[in-house]
Amino acid sequence: MAHIKLPEGVPGILGPMAFSPATAKPLNELAEILLRAANSLTQGERELIATYVSSENDCYFCQNAHGGAAAHWLGGNEELVQQIKRDFESSPVSDKLKALLAIAGKVQKGGKQVAEADIARARQNGASDKEIHDTVLISAAFCMYNRYVDGLATWAPADPAVYRENGQRLVEQGYVHSTDHLAAKAGD
Amino acid sequence: MAHIKLPEGVPGILGPMAFSPATAKPLNELAEILLRAANSLTQGERELIATYVSSENDCYFCQNAHGGAAAHWLGGNEELVQQIKRDFESSPVSDKLKALLAIAGKVQKGGKQVAEADIARARQNGASDKEIHDTVLISAAFCMYNRYVDGLATWAPADPAVYRENGQRLVEQGYVHSTDHLAAKAGD
């Protein structure tokens, strides 16, 4: 049971977002810009970074919700999503994305963990200042979203089908409208 | 030196915010709602929670910037701010605020660290669902802001006077306009 009274049957971050629409607005706008706005990193790459950080933070809901979105952007490649969480260094993604995932992993542990060598590796593999900036902020933001979800002990569905469906909805509709279907459901 | 090219002489989070105005907007809106909007927790109490979490994350800029704002709200009581960082349990704040600081400290370590007993203690001392929610989200949000500031190795002034002046500006102008003086400076 969640630590505070949240709407029943509403999964993960959507419960606290329904509880507090005022804070939900900037939280969703931030996710929309970081994960979906025009960027030299693809949406799939950015969702993989979000998924990896959520996995490192052991947040079941977020790693599956964003893993679901990542898999959709990657043509349904759920195995790649699992591989990124298990050991991204041996996965078939680009050397640039590996370097950015390494930075994201450092940020997850703490901002000061990011070393000059991590930045140098990213640059050697072609990462721009904006890509490094966005990777740091995606990782930092998921250290927030993950704590918000688990710090309130929200409910996470166990059924993988829920995250496939949710991932498809995120790909189609984005984050700013992520709670619209709840409003529609409440109005049934 | 910062990990990416940021405007020179701009302290802490204001550097990356000037680098990326699109993400600065929701980041500032979130801080404005969490720390300044109408709430049963005072602005001073909320800035103390932000300061404590930033101190636990060892973020020099954020603990001093928000410590400066907290001290201003508390009538200039800088000693209380230091005491909260050192050992809030023995400080002269309310039992409710101590219970909320304890929750914030758990969230800083990880969302799953928050135990039923932490929530029960807060409720016994009169905390509402909204106060618990806001405490969890303030702590989670500062786990983001702190990582953003340190993950990019931003510059933090050492002079305490800077944080007193900055704290006063935050109290007077809030977060949404926190980068306005930089734009004004650039236009000199």
Side-chain angles (χ1 to χ4, degrees), chain A residues 48-113:
Chain A
L48 282 178
I49 294 170
T51 303
Y52 172 64
V53 171
S54 301
S55 169
E56 289 293 292
N57 279 326
D58 193 25
C59 183
Y60 185 85
F61 176 78
C62 293
Q63 71 180 273
N64 284 291
H66 292 277
H72 270 279
W73 289 118
L74 299 165
N77 194 344
E78 295 182 2
E79 174 47 29
L80 178 57
V81 176
Q82 295 305 325
Q83 217 175 333
I84 291 291
K85 295 200 278 186
R86 255 188 341 256
D87 177 16
F88 67 80
E89 295 285 7
S90 71
S91 77
V93 300
S94 71
D95 287 341
K96 181 172 85 176
L97 184 54
K98 287 181 191 177
L100 294 175
L101 285 162
I103 290 173
K106 294 289 189 80
V107 172
Q108 183 269 334
K109 292 182 181 64
K112 288 180 177 162
Q113 301 293 316

Side-chain angles (χ1 to χ4, degrees), chain B residues 15 47 53 63 73 76 92 94 116 125-126 129-130 134 139 146 150:
Chain B
E47 290 286 1
V53 171
Q63 71 180 274
W73 289 118
S94 72
E116 288 291 347
N125 287 292
D129 270 18
K130 178 168 163 53
D134 289 1
S139 179
N146 298 163
D150 285 333

Side-chain angles (χ1 to χ4, degrees), chain A residues 3 58 112 123 133 148, chain B residues 3 58 112 123 133 148:
Chain A
H3 289 320
D58 193 25
K112 288 180 177 162
R123 287 200 199 289
H133 168 276
Y148 189 36
Chain B
H3 289 321
D58 193 25
K112 288 179 177 162
R123 285 199 200 289
H133 168 276
Y148 189 36

Side-chain angles (χ1 to χ4, degrees), chain A residues 181-188:
Chain A
H181 66 293
L182 299 176
K185 206 178 265 179
D188 276 354

